[in-house]
Amino acid sequence: MGFPDRIERTLELAHPPEVVWRALTTAEGLGTWFGDESARIELRPGGLARMTWTHGHAVDMVVERVEEPRVFAFSWPASDGEDPVHTYVEFTLEPANSGTRLTMIETGFARLPGQEAYESHTEGWTRELGELVDYLNAA
């Protein structure tokens, strides 16, 4: 494998964990900063979530962990086809100063045949986490 198995990002947010939690785990929050058309989510382990974008793309996710307001995780397809490879995304929230330290880790890229998904998700998380910050700051 010529690329890492994980993407990790840490952000210091000027919002309390409860506010960040709602942005990560509600249909309104996810549909605004992550998707740009809509989202739905069953907030329980094994629950289903779906994100849609105005350009027609949609992705189905499975909620893996819910430990309010500290850990939220889901798995989602990182490849296309009849038997897609899924990666695992985990958000950890910790109180920090007057806000929240948010750590996002996505793992599972080593099971993919090439590095395209890793590169795409690396770029995507930079963009999407920036949109999360914008969403929180606009509230």
Side-chain angles (χ1 to χ4, degrees):
M1 177 179 75
F3 54 96
D5 184 53
R6 71 192 268 140
I7 299 167
E8 183 170 345
R9 300 284 184 270
T10 300
L11 302 172
E12 298 289 331
L13 303 167
H15 305 277
E18 297 77 20
V19 171
V20 178
W21 179 261
R22 284 191 302 274
L24 296 174
T25 62
T26 65
E28 176 189 349
L30 286 172
T32 303
W33 72 268
F34 201 177
D36 64 6
E37 183 172 291
S38 67
R40 67 176 190 260
I41 184 169
E42 297 172 26
L43 191 59
R44 61 175 177 76
L48 302 179
R50 182 174 181 86
M51 303 284 298
T52 58
W53 289 263
T54 55
H55 65 288
H57 182 69
V59 65
D60 293 312
M61 306 177 293
V62 176
V63 175
E64 301 288 347
R65 284 181 70 187
V66 179
E67 297 174 20
E68 185 176 353
R70 201 177 68 72
V71 180
F72 171 62
F74 61 85
S75 58
W76 64 344
S79 65
D80 296 323
E82 287 184 31
D83 190 22
V85 174
H86 287 74
T87 57
Y88 176 83
V89 178
E90 185 171 281
F91 295 94
T92 303
L93 292 76
E94 302 173 84
N97 301 316
S98 61
T100 303
R101 178 176 299 111
L102 172 69
T103 302
M104 184 287 308
I105 299 173
E106 182 174 13
T107 58
F109 295 99
R111 295 176 289 135
L112 295 166
Q115 67 185 37
E116 295 83 14
Y118 175 80
E119 291 172 355
S120 173
H121 286 223
T122 298
E123 293 171 16
W125 281 118
T126 299
R127 182 180 57 256
E128 297 298 345
L129 292 174
E131 291 177 11
L132 171 61
V133 170
D134 293 344
Y135 171 77
L136 290 167
N137 289 341

